[in-house]
């Protein structure tokens, strides 16, 4: 039907098996999966449908459109969805002896959830999302290969930054140039986020006062944005001498997203900002060593906070004042906001194969944001970066 | 705080008033608005928060982040959200005598909905989304101005297509060039869709066999896409002689999205495809005349189907065979999939000020998709296009 590479069947089989094991250990008898990313992860296709997965036995993907494409791509059994009444009868039959049904409570809309739950009288709905997200946090060798391909795309663009950043160029113009380069390499151009109301274009190209503008976006740098209706990231502001230019770039290969940030300056950067940038590099080095399997996620965040405080920069760490965000890093994969979250609330341990974007940043109101970000995979002896490129500030002639 | 233009206060006041009127007529006593687009529409800011709107009296926007930015941008009263327990108490107090509470059941995630509904014991949740979407379908003169600005961006890019389309160029490379031009003009680069699991990059650059590849996407042309994880729109396929190249472009100004499609060919197009394209133009002309205030939405779809059938092309209309979609057009505005929907299920009448993208298209398996799309505003005497550019096929030298 088409020449695009498929997800290996063994990947899908192992993912289904792992999720079924986790479901059994939580006494979840079956799951109804509806979100396109979760569907893709568990079936190998992203067509319009729902997956029913019993804790024991074979899953079935019921597809509305395109049935022919889903049958070609999926590594699980596929059936036509038919009318909702028919689907409802099939689901009820399949789950006849089930009690606890897992659904994706963090993404499935309320109205649709009610509709599906009416197919299963007398079941107890439970949230499956955290379980599934925790499983997805640990990447297979196949998944790591895709992330490494994404990292190569970002590396190529970072190498071009010295040619692209010039006095008189605006944030959105630099974003345009970066996006163009990535797209010519086959980048998807959308960065999927799971959290309600979160969205992202490219990442972030933000400089000076515009970068320090607070936003709703759940990240350490906000950005002025192009309008009040698009209130984050790149704006029409033109780069000026001596201000920090934060370039936060994502790229996508086979659905897998990488995340990396570098800092550029036209001319010279003030000494205190230069020092703050050095602190972010030190934090990164420290976390690279600490980040071994077994350490609680929160410990990495708290160590970052300690180091920011020791440097007298705690008020500037990960945003400024009331607009600080309370994390140091986030998992990346098919979504940009995956687990683990390096934040205070999480006592869960790091595990080998988790992939994390770590982004220590400092915000200085009216002056800008300095910081760095790499994406790492957790190895037995610490974090190994899968993003490359020099970590020095990129200095450009004025 | 920042120099970005604000939404006029009179706009926000009139939107709130219209929604309150509609709520009263449906016996809805209050509404809790959570989705970023709805929040922006009703308050003038898109920060992280929830809006409580009583059927009578003043609304209040409770903001988590950024409070300072929300206060600066919003045209409604803004308060700090605080901890969830405090918010819950405030909401309960505000809705002490309320019975029916409107929520956005089509977008609000199930888990979050349960959490909010626990703030309101003994209320009856009702779906507010359709009411709000119906109101949003009718654009004010301010909103039309923004859409006209978006249309200007698309027009400039369509004028450049003859330079950008060349033999040997791939779909994704053309998409890269189009996106670059739009972004240099200040385009946002994200096309918001409301429907669960729907997403779009740019629109669609799709040619020949790749364009005819069926997808899950709720539109008449699918597209092969870049990978199974991004299974729609532009692919790496290279343009060939004599095949239809469908270029479907969106652009965003102040959040408002325009949608337009043109057809290009390198060399000559087969006569039957050329004829099919002429039929899409005839359908468009017919709908332009029919589209007066008062006509049911479904009548426009059915008229399109009749004309496709009369031309012997009904199997190819809006997709092929089982992968056909059952609509002819869709509202556009802050989201790409707004009301009205020109489809069989809808007996609602067109109203003056509605803005609709109408996109008759025919799919020929293995050969491609031909079609056209303009965005219109409903006027007393019919539809008036707010997108420009010649409607002739763009012929390019081979």
């Amino acid at each position: 039907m088409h020449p695009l590479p498929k997800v290996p069947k063994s990947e899908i089989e192992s993912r289904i098996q792992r999720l079924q094991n986790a479901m059994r250990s939580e006494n979840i008898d079956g799951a109804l999966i509806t979100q396109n990313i979760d569907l893709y992860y568990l079936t190998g296709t992203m067509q319009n449908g729902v997956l029913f997965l019993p804790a024991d036995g074979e899953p079935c993907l019921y597809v509305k459109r395109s049935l022919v494409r889903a049958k070609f791509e999926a590594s699980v059994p596929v059936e036509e969805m038919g009318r909702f009444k028919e689907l409802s009868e099939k689901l009820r039959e399949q789950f006849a002896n089930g009690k606890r049904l897992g659904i994706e409570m963090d993404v499935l809309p309320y109205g649709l959830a009610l509709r599906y739950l009416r197919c299963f009288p007398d079941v107890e709905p439970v949230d499956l999302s955290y379980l599934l997200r925790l499983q997805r946090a640990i990447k297979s060798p196949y998944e790591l290969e895709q992330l490494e391909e994404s990292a190569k795309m970002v590396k190529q663009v970072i190498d071009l930054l010295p040619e692209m950043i010039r006095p008189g160029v605006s944030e959105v113009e630099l974003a345009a140039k970066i996006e163009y380069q990535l797209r010519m390499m086959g980048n998807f151009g959308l960065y999927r986020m799971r959290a309600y109301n979160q969205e992202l274009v490219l990442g972030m190209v933000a400089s000076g006062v515009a970068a320090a503008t607070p936003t709703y976006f759940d990240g350490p740098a906000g950005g002025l944005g192009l309008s009040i209706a698009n209130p984050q990231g790149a704006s029409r502001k033109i780069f000026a001498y001596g201000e920090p230019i934060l370039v936060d770039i994502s790229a996508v290969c086979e659905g897998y997203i990488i995340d990396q940030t570098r800092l550029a300056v036209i001319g010279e950067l003030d000494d205190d900002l230069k020092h703050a940038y050095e602190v972010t590099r030190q934090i990164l080095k420290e976390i690279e060593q600490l980040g071994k399997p077994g350490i609680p996620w929160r410990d990495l965040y708290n160590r970052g906070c300690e180091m920011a405080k020791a440097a007298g920069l705690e008020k500037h760490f990960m945003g400024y004042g009331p607009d600080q965000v309370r994390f140091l890093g986030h998992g990346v994969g098919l979504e940009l906001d995956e687990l683990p979250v390096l934040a205070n609330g999480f006592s869960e341990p790091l595990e080998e194969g988790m992939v994390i974007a770590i982004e220590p940043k400092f915000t200085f109101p009216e002056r800008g944001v300095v910081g760095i970000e790499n994406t790492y995979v957790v190895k037995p002896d610490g974090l190994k970066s899968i993003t490359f490129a020099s970590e020095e500030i990129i200095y450009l002639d004025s």
Side-chain angles (χ1 to χ4, degrees), chain A:
Chain A
M1 176 183 188
H2 65 60
L4 299 174
K6 296 187 190 184
V7 183
K9 196 169 165 53
S10 57
E11 276 285 312
I12 301 297
E13 285 169 349
S14 121
R15 293 172 189 176
I16 293 271
Q17 204 167 58
R18 279 167 65 202
L19 184 57
Q20 286 181 318
N21 288 341
M23 284 164 62
R24 284 193 296 263
S25 74
E26 299 283 331
N27 295 315
I28 299 173
D29 306 309
L32 196 72
I33 306 291
T34 64
Q35 189 234 28
N36 56 355
I37 316 295
D38 291 337
L39 283 175
Y40 174 70
Y41 176 79
L42 290 170
T43 70
T45 189
M46 201 184 271
Q47 299 304 302
N48 182 351
V50 295
L51 176 73
F52 179 77
L53 177 66
D56 288 287
E58 278 232 312
C60 184
L61 178 63
Y62 297 98
V63 173
K64 192 168 173 188
R65 183 162 175 272
S66 157
L67 183 64
V68 54
R69 189 158 177 174
K71 281 191 170 166
F72 178 75
E73 295 174 349
S75 289
V76 301
V78 172
E79 279 188 31
E80 189 172 0
M81 186 186 279
R83 290 174 179 276
F84 194 80
K85 194 164 169 278
E86 296 160 50
L87 174 69
S88 171
E89 279 161 17
K90 284 182 206 162
L91 290 174
R92 194 175 305 140
E93 199 175 302
Q94 289 220 20
F95 201 59
N97 299 315
K99 294 249 181 311
R100 283 161 55 86
L101 178 76
I103 58 174
E104 301 140 302
M105 290 195 184
D106 61 340
V107 289
L108 180 61
Y110 184 74
L112 197 53
L114 293 187
R115 198 166 182 224
Y116 280 127
L117 288 175
R118 277 196 290 268
C119 302
F120 303 92
D122 305 321
V123 307
E124 179 195 345
V126 295
D127 194 358
L128 190 77
S129 289
Y130 196 77
L131 214 64
L132 183 51
R133 293 181 68 211
L134 205 53
Q135 168 172 333
R136 281 180 36 195
I138 299 168
K139 270 67 180 179
S140 70
Y142 162 82
E143 291 181 292
L144 286 173
E145 273 171 36
Q146 315 313 318
L147 285 159
E148 282 161 10
E149 288 303 312
S150 306
K152 281 183 201 162
M153 288 197 261
V154 177
K155 165 74 165 72
Q156 285 187 54
V157 173
I158 289 179
D159 288 346
L160 292 172
L161 286 181
E163 291 168 36
M164 295 194 284
I165 302 176
R166 288 269 170 280
V169 169
S170 72
E171 291 175 357
V172 70
E173 286 168 352
L174 177 59
K177 290 176 204 296
I178 293 171
E179 288 160 13
Y180 176 74
Q181 294 294 337
L182 289 172
R183 201 78 159 117
M184 290 297 278
M185 297 178 220
N187 187 48
F188 178 44
L190 256 189
Y191 306 98
R192 292 169 175 141
M193 295 191 71
R194 190 173 187 98
Y196 186 48
N197 281 341
Q198 294 291 317
E199 59 186 18
L200 190 72
V201 187
L202 174 65
M204 177 93 46
V205 173
S207 60
V209 57
T213 311
T215 72
Y216 78 96
F217 184 73
D218 197 15
L224 175 58
L226 288 161
S227 85
I228 289 187
N230 316 116
Q232 57 152 316
S235 76
R236 287 189 167 82
K237 179 188 164 296
I238 288 169
F239 298 134
Y241 177 89
E243 65 185 7
I245 301 170
L246 197 72
V247 186
D248 187 340
I249 306 179
S250 299
V252 186
C253 175
E254 294 294 325
Y256 288 87
I257 310 170
I258 207 90
D259 203 358
Q260 189 169 15
T261 303
R262 289 296 183 267
L263 190 68
V265 185
I266 299 171
E268 271 300 314
L269 192 63
D270 289 346
D271 282 342
D272 60 335
L273 298 187
K274 223 188 281 185
H275 173 68
Y277 180 72
E278 283 311 312
V279 175
T280 66
R281 288 186 64 183
Q282 287 159 18
I283 292 173
L284 211 49
K285 290 298 143 219
E286 173 80 1
I287 303 299
E288 285 173 13
Q289 302 301 318
L290 278 180
K292 293 178 183 140
I295 192 169
W297 304 350
R298 67 177 173 211
D299 286 14
L300 300 180
Y301 172 67
N302 288 331
R303 184 66 191 124
C305 291
E306 271 170 34
M307 290 179 72
K309 192 169 180 186
L313 289 167
E314 71 267 35
K315 265 211 288 198
H316 303 264
F317 191 47
M318 306 304 285
Y320 185 79
D323 290 306
Q324 281 179 317
V325 295
R326 306 284 171 181
F327 71 89
L328 177 62
H330 54 93
V332 293
L334 292 171
E335 292 168 319
L336 190 71
D337 50 351
E338 296 205 347
L339 298 178
V341 186
L342 306 188
N344 210 10
F346 296 90
S347 57
E348 290 88 329
L350 274 199
E351 294 184 57
E352 195 177 340
M354 284 181 169
V355 172
I356 322 171
I358 303 183
E359 50 177 331
K361 289 170 184 166
F362 291 112
T363 297
F364 296 85
E366 307 297 323
R367 298 174 70 198
V369 179
V370 300
I372 186 167
E373 177 177 38
N374 286 322
T375 298
Y376 299 91
V377 57
V378 180
K379 293 282 189 186
D381 53 347
L383 302 177
K384 187 189 151 207
S385 185
I386 51 177
T387 44
F388 318 99
S390 158
E391 297 184 356
E392 303 294 330
I393 295 174
I394 303 165
Y395 285 106
L396 305 155
D397 292 339
S398 57

